[in-house]
Amino acid sequence: VQLQASGGGLVQAGGSLRLSCAASGRTFTSYDMGWSRQAPGKGRELVAIIRANGITSYTDSVKGRFTISRDNAKNMLYLQMDSLKPDDTAVYSCGARSPGVSTYDIWGQGTQVTVSS
């Protein structure tokens, strides 16, 4: 599967953005999917995942503010980000975990999200 994220931009603190990820490949439904972010000088942080069965999980810092979803019919992954904070500023990427693999092994090109105070 190949992935391409879009929807980033500049937003004021407290605002919202919706990221989209287009996936190619006919086996999209078999993959656990996720969103990660990487801020300048920091490592990649996995912030939200949605399993092939639809179960979601979030890192503590985004719980209650971010919502991950997927549309299997359209091969699309989304991340709705509300109540954004300056600390959310990062490059956001969508990823996939291949069946039988323990880590997220497929990453697409990211999209920049900048939250101003």
Side-chain angles (χ1 to χ4, degrees):
V1 64
Q2 294 182 322
L3 306 170
Q4 178 64 56
S6 63
L10 174 63
V11 63
Q12 288 187 332
S16 298
L17 279 175
R18 188 193 195 205
L19 305 183
S20 299
C21 175
S24 63
R26 293 178 293 178
T27 58
F28 174 76
T29 56
S30 301
Y31 290 79
D32 294 345
M33 304 293 296
W35 287 96
S36 73
R37 65 186 181 186
Q38 187 164 17
K42 296 187 178 180
R44 185 192 298 273
E45 175 189 26
L46 190 61
V47 297
I49 65 169
I50 182 166
R51 301 191 185 281
N53 61 12
I55 294 176
T56 60
S57 180
Y58 302 88
T59 193
D60 286 346
S61 61
V62 308
K63 281 181 181 177
R65 300 189 298 120
F66 290 10
T67 304
I68 189 171
S69 62
R70 64 193 296 167
D71 185 336
N72 289 335
K74 297 181 179 180
N75 279 14
M76 292 294 294
L77 179 72
Y78 304 101
L79 185 68
Q80 177 66 40
M81 304 186 295
D82 299 318
S83 302
L84 283 162
K85 305 175 181 179
D87 285 349
D88 295 319
T89 295
V91 175
Y92 285 72
S93 302
C94 52
R97 187 172 69 88
S98 300
V101 177
S102 61
T103 61
Y104 280 73
D105 57 323
I106 302 170
W107 293 100
Q109 189 172 0
T111 185
Q112 177 70 46
V113 171
T114 302
V115 184
S116 62
S117 57

